[in-house]
């Protein structure tokens, strides 16, 4: 690792002395022991509390218990000064098992090595780590280690973990269910950390009660009495560390009782003064060594030696050890508590601190990033050379995916830049890097600082664009739209390119909110931007996103040119795919997304604006497994970045697919999560998608009255679409539910209102859906022409689920007319499509209709998939394509062990015992009779090939 933030943070905390008194935390310790001892207790537990509350002591005792029971323990402790050092905490955690990283699949191995700056591409400026793969690699590594012996992961002072490490560890933590891995996380305050949301159970350490505090004082070497005891109890406020340290100071030989200063002071201030008082009588060499240690950014013994610090066995440390300031742990010398380091650092004069940092910078000259930060800490004022060093450090951090580290380095570089213009430029670049952390407040702070330093129009425009880029992904739609549109309006004449960038973001907000007034505002500002302003693609994007149907024909003519231009810029293919999806050109959208994902592996840093379009396109195209893969990626990234709106968008797509597959409980749970994450009045798109998912779930259960009520909310009281794009595809499902619950007339009014609104601008897909709806709602003798029209265009085969539903509707109508022979073909085609998709409720409906028509419908092998959960179906289908457990895990963000466990449970349900049979089963060539002849009945046990340790391809 080669990046550093400098400054007086904390170093890794030492293991508490097993002989130290430990009282008043018996209940909390029991909870930790149960978590460590029992898999059923849950894989992750958060320990929250103030500084000195005893979190580290509890973690140490839990770790010793786990080790005594035969578990392996991996540890990492946060350091305030390393919080800007990308992947430093993860490196610390995995350092003892770095050799195991080489056993990971190549892509995961390369991603982790690159993050640690040790891969072959570490110095390649064009290379960037695949951040999602880092999370998958960490999960795979922990799972593999746990497979050999139980594994306990201990993360202390996690509030100071760098953001990149937190993202990777939170990613793994959310997927530890069923793994032989337990994770204990300690953090100050309420324990809320990025990525570790409310789903993580939290044990909060409050103050010790009076009785426990008294017992702790009684156990001290010299127990205080009388007025001194009362003062200590009063000042400590039940904080164990304060009780111990105030007692040690008050009862030290030759010192008077420590009286509190006038007026209330934070415990930390009082303790810092106590620690600093111990420095007075130390030898000069010891004080110098302590200051160097305090100014360092790591307690790693190897780094300490390279930085010129005395060895742990050197006698120079003895006076500090006797004073209770440091503890020697193996080859390391560490401060007894973070406050000791703070006290040592701040007790020194500013000149002494700067001298220490200059010395460290010289000693670490072969580690350029740490050197740059020490040089920055040694600067008494602006320094162009050091600012340039930090800018180079930021570049290296960014190439490793450490965007938070890059932003911090650029921010500090801006502070040291002598010229205001240069400072403003660096702040804008810092804002651009901070966008990828998801921290909107920080981005806005950096943009505001840049505005204070310059009146350069291009820099001011860039600052506005960077702030808007992230703001688009939040749920503050009204506020964000007003800001983006206003900025675009001001820049339209003099900075047209920036104005178009801002309007592109405003258009995304318009989609999310569904507000028609916002469409008019975007169109008005677009009219003020010169027609020849670049980039032209941003103008086309704004038009397509805000009003995809009114200008559909003109926009379709522009797509081929945009797609051709995107070939040289693969990242733009996603933009082309999103626009194609908005225009109901789903096949073209899917091709663009396929090519984009093949040529430009998503880095997983932030979801794109309208990133849910890819998931919807795959869902509509019948590629449901891929739709859920995209949802998993968006959810993981959105949660890590704290972007609840992105998570909600992904949840509604996945909920819809789950409802189609018949997993209605999971679909409802995801929908409830989505609705809880947004304000439905602010995000009409999420509201509409959620109601469509709930309607699909109700229809899957045959609860058509409920389905109708949910789908009716997708349209206004007078039948207009609640959302200009998301509502229209629901018209046919609304009609289907209405027919079955006696709401035919009301639904017909909605359908016709939609037909009038779209007019000639309706896409072939929407025309087909309206025709299907009309057929369902028509009189007994008038339905057939509508169904035939809905099926007439061959292009509609690209929406297989919708087409199969229409085929089933037609077959049902034909059977009721006693036209059994004519019903057979559409019925068989619909049933085959439903089977291929794994749409269990519709499979049953089609089979019931076939039986009612007197057809002999055999239970073919693909129906066996209906017995599996949707996730198990995904895994089986991927395994049937020849993917290994590791490859499946990478796609679905699961560990290979979890994949193997799902296969192990799936094989008996499928009636197979060999992985090689899955392809035949999926393709329908392995029938039940054949499986029986081969001795593959469903009662046979699962083959070893399903297990995670023996299922990889030769």
């Amino acid at each position: 690792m080669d990046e550093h933030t400098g400054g007086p943070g904390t170093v890794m905390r030492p293991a508490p002395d097993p002989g130290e008194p430990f009282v008043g935390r018996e209940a909390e310790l029991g909870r930790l022991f149960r978590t460590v001892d029992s898999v059923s207790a849950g894989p992750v537990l958060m320990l929250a509390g103030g500084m000195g509350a005893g979190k580290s002591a509890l973690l140490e005792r839990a770790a010793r218990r786990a080790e005594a029971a035969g578990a392996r323990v991996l540890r990492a402790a946060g350091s305030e000064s390393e919080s800007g050092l990308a992947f430093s905490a993860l490196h610390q955690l995995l350092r003892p098992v770095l050799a195991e990283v080489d056993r990971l699949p190549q892509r995961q191995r390369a991603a982790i090595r690159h993050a640690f700056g040790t891969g072959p591409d570490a110095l390649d400026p064009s290379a960037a780590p695949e951040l999602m793969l880092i999370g998958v690699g960490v999960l795979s590594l922990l799972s593999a280690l746990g497979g050999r012996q139980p594994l306990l992961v201990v993360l202390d002072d996690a509030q100071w973990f760098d953001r990149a490490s937190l993202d990777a560890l939170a990613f793994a933590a959310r997927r530890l269910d069923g793994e032989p891995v337990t994770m204990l996380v300690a953090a100050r305050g309420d324990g809320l950390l990025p990525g570790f949301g409310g789903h993580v159970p939290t044990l909060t350490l409050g103050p010790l009660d009076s009785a426990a505090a008294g017992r702790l004082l009684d156990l001290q070497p010299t127990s205080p009495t009388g007025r001194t005891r009362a003062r200590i109890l009063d000042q400590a406020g039940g904080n164990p560390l304060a009780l111990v340290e105030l007692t040690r100071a008050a009862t030290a030989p030759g010192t008077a009782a420590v009286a509190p200063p006038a007026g209330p002071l934070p415990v930390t201030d009082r303790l810092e003064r106590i620690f600093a008082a111990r420095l007075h009588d130390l030898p000069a060499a010891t004080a110098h060594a302590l200051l160097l240690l305090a100014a360092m950014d790591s307690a790693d013994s190897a780094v300490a030696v390279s930085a010129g610090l005395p060895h742990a066995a050197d006698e120079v440390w003895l006076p500090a050890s006797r004073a209770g300031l440091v503890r020697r742990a193996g080859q390391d010398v560490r401060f007894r508590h973070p406050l000791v380091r703070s006290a040592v650092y701040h007790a020194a004069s500013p000149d002494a601190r700067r001298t220490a940092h200059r010395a460290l910078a010289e000693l670490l000259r072969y580690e350029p990033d740490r050197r740059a930060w020490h040089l920055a800490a040694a600067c008494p004022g602006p320094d162009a050379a050091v600012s340039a060093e930090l800018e180079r450090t930021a570049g290296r951090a960014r190439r490793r995916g450490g965007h938070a580290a890059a932003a911090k380095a650029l921010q500090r570089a801006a502070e040291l830049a002598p010229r205001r213009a240069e400072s403003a430029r660096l702040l804008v670049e810092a804002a651009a890097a901070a966008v990828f952390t998801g921290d909107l407040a920080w981005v806005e702070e950096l943009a505001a600082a840049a505005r204070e330093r310059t009146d350069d129009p291009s820099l001011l425009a860039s600052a506005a664009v960077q702030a808007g880029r992230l703001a688009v992904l939040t749920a503050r739609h009204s506020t964000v739209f007003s800001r983006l549109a206003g900025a675009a309006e001001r820049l339209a004449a003099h900075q047209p390119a920036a104005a178009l960038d801002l309007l592109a973001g405003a258009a995304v907000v318009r989609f999310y909110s569904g507000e028609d007034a916002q469409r008019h505002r975007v169109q008005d500002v677009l009219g003020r931007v010169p027609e020849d302003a670049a980039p032209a693609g941003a103008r086309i994007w704004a038009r397509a996103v805000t009003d995809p149907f009114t200008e559909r024909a003109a926009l379709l003519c522009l797509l081929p040119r945009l797609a051709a231009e995107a070939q040289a810029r693969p990242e733009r293919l996603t933009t082309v795919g999103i626009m194609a999806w908005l225009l109901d050109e789903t096949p073209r959208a899917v091709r663009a997304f396929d090519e984009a994902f093949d040529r430009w592996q998503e880095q997983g840093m932030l979801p794109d604006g309208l990133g849910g379009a890819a998931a919807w396109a795959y869902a509509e195209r019948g590629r449901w497994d891929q739709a859920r893969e995209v949802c998993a990626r968006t959810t993981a990234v959105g949660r890590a970045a704290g972007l609840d709106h992105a998570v909600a968008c992904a949840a509604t797509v996945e909920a819809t697919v789950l409802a189609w597959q018949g997993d209605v409980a999971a679909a409802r749970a995801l929908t409830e999560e989505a609705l809880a994450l947004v304000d439905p009045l602010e995000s009409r798109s999420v509201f509409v998608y959620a109601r469509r998912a709930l309607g699909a779930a109700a229809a899957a259960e045959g609860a058509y009255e409920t389905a109708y009520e949910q789908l009716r909310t997708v349209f206004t009281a007078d039948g207009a679409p609640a959302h200009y794009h998301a509502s229209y595809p629901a018209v046919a499902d609304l009609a289907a539910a209405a027919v079955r619950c006696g709401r035919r007339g009301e639904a017909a009014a909605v359908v016709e209102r939609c037909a009038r609104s779209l007019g000639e601008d309706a896409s072939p897909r929407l025309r087909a859906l309206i025709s299907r709806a009309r057929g369902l709602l028509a009189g007994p003798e008038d339905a057939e022409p509508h169904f035939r029209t809905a099926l007439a265009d061959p292009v509609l085969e690209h929406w297989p689920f919708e087409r199969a539903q229409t085929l089933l509707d037609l077959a049902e109508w034909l059977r009721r007319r006693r036209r059994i022979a004519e019903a057979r073909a559409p019925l068989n085609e619909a049933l085959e499509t439903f089977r291929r998709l794994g749409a269990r409720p519709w499979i049953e409906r089609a089979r019931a209709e076939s039986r009612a028509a007197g057809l002999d419908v055999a239970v073919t092998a693909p129906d066996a998939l209906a017995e599996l959960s949707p996730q198990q179906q995904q895994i089986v289908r991927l395994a049937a394509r020849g993917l290994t457990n590791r490859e499946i895990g990478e796609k679905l963000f699961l560990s290979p062990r979890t994949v193997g466990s799902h296969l192990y449970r799936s094989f008996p349900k499928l009636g197979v015992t060999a992985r090689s049979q899955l392809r035949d089963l999926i393709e329908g060539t392995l029938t039940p009779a054949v499986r029986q002849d081969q001795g593959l009945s469903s009662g046979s046990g699962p083959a070893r090939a399903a297990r995670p340790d023996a299922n990889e391809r030769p």
Side-chain angles (χ1 to χ4, degrees):
M1 302 298 294
D2 202 24
E3 301 154 59
H4 170 61
T5 57
T10 61
V11 295
M12 291 196 302
R13 180 178 301 176
D17 186 342
E20 288 182 352
F22 187 78
V23 297
R25 298 294 188 205
E26 291 78 10
E28 293 89 343
L29 188 60
R31 172 75 182 279
L32 258 67
F33 283 177
R34 288 193 296 274
T35 301
V36 169
D37 294 345
S38 173
V39 175
S40 62
V44 185
L45 179 65
M46 178 74 67
L47 199 58
M51 183 273 303
K55 302 182 296 295
S56 296
L58 285 167
L59 289 180
E60 177 61 24
R61 281 160 174 79
R64 289 206 304 268
R65 183 181 182 92
E67 288 174 330
R72 181 170 196 166
V73 179
L74 292 180
R75 309 168 190 249
S79 165
E80 187 176 11
S81 65
E82 289 196 359
S83 61
L85 177 56
F87 295 108
S88 59
L90 186 64
H91 183 268
Q92 183 190 147
L93 180 75
L94 300 184
R95 186 178 57 183
V97 293
L98 283 179
E100 301 291 332
V101 172
D102 293 332
R103 300 185 182 182
L104 292 173
Q106 190 276 329
R107 294 177 66 225
Q108 296 176 30
R109 178 174 68 250
I112 291 179
R113 290 292 186 188
H114 194 162
F116 292 164
T118 59
D121 298 327
L123 299 179
D124 181 358
S126 65
E130 297 183 41
L131 300 184
M132 297 300 292
L133 274 178
I134 294 172
V136 176
V138 172
L139 176 63
S140 298
L141 182 58
L142 297 182
S143 175
L145 292 170
R148 297 172 203 161
Q149 66 184 114
L151 178 66
L152 175 64
V153 176
V154 177
L155 309 177
D156 198 5
D157 276 329
Q159 76 278 356
W160 284 323
F161 277 23
D162 63 280
R163 182 57 182 272
S165 294
L166 269 181
D167 289 347
L169 291 167
F171 179 96
R174 287 191 295 271
R175 291 159 177 82
L176 290 180
D177 284 320
E179 300 286 351
V181 180
T182 301
M183 184 179 289
L184 301 180
V185 188
R188 285 192 187 177
D190 56 13
L192 291 179
L193 298 170
F196 290 86
H199 63 285
V200 177
T202 301
L203 179 61
T204 301
L205 302 184
L208 297 181
D209 60 29
S210 298
R215 289 201 309 274
L216 184 56
L217 292 187
D218 292 338
L219 291 170
Q220 298 309 302
T222 303
S223 179
T225 58
R227 188 165 177 267
T228 299
R229 185 184 184 95
R231 287 176 174 177
I232 292 172
L233 288 171
D234 177 63
Q235 292 180 31
N239 183 281
L241 177 70
L243 287 163
V244 171
E245 294 302 331
L246 286 172
T247 298
R248 186 170 292 168
T251 60
T255 61
V258 177
L265 289 175
V267 171
T268 54
D269 289 347
R270 291 197 294 271
L271 288 176
E272 279 190 14
R273 294 178 61 183
I274 292 169
F275 288 133
R278 300 183 191 172
L279 301 174
H280 296 323
D281 298 327
L282 293 178
T286 301
H288 177 70
L290 284 173
L291 181 55
L292 282 177
L293 184 62
M296 283 178 56
D297 63 303
S298 174
D300 187 309
S301 59
V303 175
V305 171
S306 69
L309 283 175
H311 191 273
D314 196 300
E315 291 187 359
V316 75
W317 298 112
L318 286 177
S321 179
R322 294 192 190 104
L325 298 173
V326 298
R327 175 179 294 139
R328 290 181 288 185
Q331 300 300 311
D332 297 340
V333 176
R334 301 180 181 180
F335 289 109
R336 291 191 68 254
H337 191 275
L339 282 178
V340 181
R341 180 186 187 196
S342 181
V344 169
Y345 190 86
H346 290 289
S349 68
D351 284 342
R353 293 198 294 265
R354 286 193 288 270
T355 299
H357 283 295
R358 279 195 294 271
L360 289 170
E362 176 61 26
L363 291 166
L364 296 171
R365 57 187 177 275
Y366 298 114
E367 297 186 46
D369 297 320
R370 284 191 164 97
R371 177 177 182 275
W373 277 106
H374 283 297
L375 287 173
C379 283
D383 188 308
V386 176
S387 178
E389 288 282 350
L390 284 171
E391 186 175 5
R392 287 189 284 273
T393 286
R396 288 187 288 269
R398 192 154 32 195
R399 287 195 295 274
R400 293 178 186 170
H403 297 282
K408 287 182 178 181
L410 288 164
Q411 186 175 16
R412 180 63 175 136
E415 294 169 356
L416 294 176
R419 297 173 56 245
R420 289 175 63 84
E422 182 68 6
S423 177
R425 178 188 69 80
L426 291 166
L427 285 167
V428 171
E429 289 192 21
V435 162
F436 295 104
T437 69
D439 189 340
L440 180 59
W442 189 17
V443 174
E444 291 177 334
E445 173 194 329
L446 292 166
R451 287 193 293 271
E452 291 176 358
R453 286 167 168 77
T454 184
D455 55 5
D456 184 303
S458 61
L459 276 178
L460 292 174
S462 181
V465 168
Q466 295 305 333
R469 185 181 181 191
L470 180 56
V472 164
L473 299 174
T474 71
R476 297 158 43 187
H477 298 321
S478 299
T479 302
V480 169
F481 180 86
S482 178
R483 181 195 302 163
L484 293 175
E489 194 169 31
R490 292 191 297 273
L491 296 170
H494 305 295
Q495 296 286 328
L500 286 174
D501 282 340
L502 290 164
L503 281 177
V508 173
V509 179
R510 141 72 172 165
F511 181 91
Y512 288 145
S513 71
E515 284 290 339
D516 211 43
Q518 294 178 356
R519 171 174 66 91
H520 296 304
R521 182 80 189 279
V522 170
Q523 291 173 337
D524 177 62
V525 180
L526 270 178
R528 304 183 186 200
V529 179
E531 284 292 335
D532 59 350
R539 181 187 295 275
I540 299 169
W541 167 272
R543 290 167 56 193
V545 174
T546 53
D547 192 2
F549 295 126
T550 301
E551 297 186 85
R552 184 172 184 275
L555 291 167
L556 279 178
C557 294
L558 298 173
L559 276 184
R561 175 169 66 86
L562 292 176
E565 292 173 353
Q567 297 304 309
R569 297 283 300 277
E571 69 275 11
R572 291 186 179 177
L573 284 169
T574 56
T575 301
V576 174
I578 291 169
M579 285 191 285
W581 172 75
L582 287 165
L583 297 170
D584 258 344
E585 290 290 304
T586 302
R588 182 178 293 181
V590 166
R591 287 196 298 272
F593 290 131
D594 281 347
E595 188 172 354
F597 298 160
D598 285 344
R599 295 181 54 194
W600 177 62
Q601 287 291 332
E602 284 187 306
Q603 301 305 310
M605 296 172 292
L606 280 182
D608 291 326
L610 295 183
W616 275 118
Y618 285 127
E620 292 168 3
R621 189 67 183 84
R623 290 161 60 171
W624 292 355
D625 290 344
Q626 285 172 282
R628 293 188 64 199
E629 289 173 28
V630 173
C631 290
R633 179 182 293 273
T634 302
T635 299
V637 174
R639 280 180 174 158
L643 298 173
D644 289 346
H645 193 267
V647 175
C649 291
T652 58
V653 187
E654 185 165 16
T656 303
V657 173
L658 288 169
W660 291 342
Q661 293 176 318
D663 194 344
V664 295
R668 288 196 179 100
L670 275 174
T671 305
E672 290 171 5
E673 177 186 354
L675 291 173
L677 290 173
V678 301
D679 178 353
L681 298 178
E682 281 274 295
S683 186
R684 216 170 294 169
S685 60
V686 171
F687 172 81
V688 167
Y689 288 133
R691 295 300 170 186
R692 282 173 53 184
L694 290 171
E701 292 182 315
Y704 294 110
E705 182 72 40
T706 301
Y708 182 82
E709 290 172 356
Q710 294 289 351
L711 294 169
R712 185 62 183 83
T713 64
V714 169
F715 303 90
T716 63
D718 62 357
H723 186 275
Y724 67 97
H725 186 273
S727 292
Y728 286 119
V731 291
D733 291 334
L734 177 76
V739 168
R740 290 169 171 81
C741 68
R743 311 287 282 274
R744 200 180 287 260
E746 184 180 1
V750 173
V751 172
E752 296 309 317
R753 171 67 184 269
C754 289
R756 289 194 302 273
S757 298
L758 288 167
E760 295 302 314
D761 296 317
S763 65
R765 176 204 179 194
L766 289 182
R767 286 198 294 270
L769 289 174
I770 289 171
S771 294
R772 179 194 170 208
R774 285 170 168 165
L776 287 164
L777 298 168
E781 303 305 323
D782 302 324
E784 185 174 11
H786 297 297
F787 288 137
R788 298 291 184 188
T789 299
L791 295 167
D793 193 336
V795 75
L796 299 175
E797 293 181 1
H798 294 299
W799 289 268
F801 185 61
E802 293 172 1
R803 176 178 169 81
Q805 288 176 304
T806 307
L807 287 166
L808 181 56
D809 292 336
L810 173 61
E812 288 175 339
W813 184 87
L814 290 170
R815 181 186 63 79
R816 288 195 297 271
R817 307 273 77 74
R818 299 184 183 280
R819 293 160 63 178
I820 304 299
E822 293 177 70
R824 181 172 297 166
L827 193 54
N828 285 338
E829 185 179 345
L831 180 56
E832 177 58 32
T833 299
F834 292 142
R835 283 173 170 159
R836 177 171 55 82
L837 295 173
R840 289 182 285 180
W842 280 266
I843 292 172
E844 291 306 313
R845 228 183 94 188
R847 290 177 58 194
E849 182 63 26
S850 298
R851 288 192 294 270
L855 300 176
D856 182 16
V857 181
V859 180
T860 57
D863 273 347
L865 290 174
E867 300 301 318
L868 307 181
S869 71
Q871 186 171 68
Q872 287 172 338
Q873 290 184 37
Q874 273 188 293
I875 290 170
V876 166
R877 292 178 187 278
L878 292 171
R881 284 161 45 188
L883 275 69
T884 67
N885 286 3
R886 287 180 169 183
E887 291 166 341
I888 296 170
E890 282 189 8
K891 281 185 169 291
L892 303 184
F893 310 112
L894 302 170
S895 73
R897 176 173 296 277
T898 298
V899 172
S901 177
H902 279 301
L903 287 172
Y904 183 79
R905 293 195 297 270
S906 299
F907 274 30
K909 298 176 184 178
L910 297 174
V912 300
T913 58
R915 195 183 188 96
S916 59
Q917 295 162 331
L918 292 177
R919 179 176 178 179
D920 290 340
L921 182 140
I922 295 299
E923 294 178 351
T925 59
L926 187 64
T927 65
V930 173
R931 294 202 308 274
Q932 184 67 39
D933 290 343
Q934 295 178 350
L936 306 179
S937 66
S938 60
S940 61
R944 179 173 173 80
R947 297 183 183 274
D949 59 347
N951 59 1
E952 308 297 6
R953 292 179 298 183

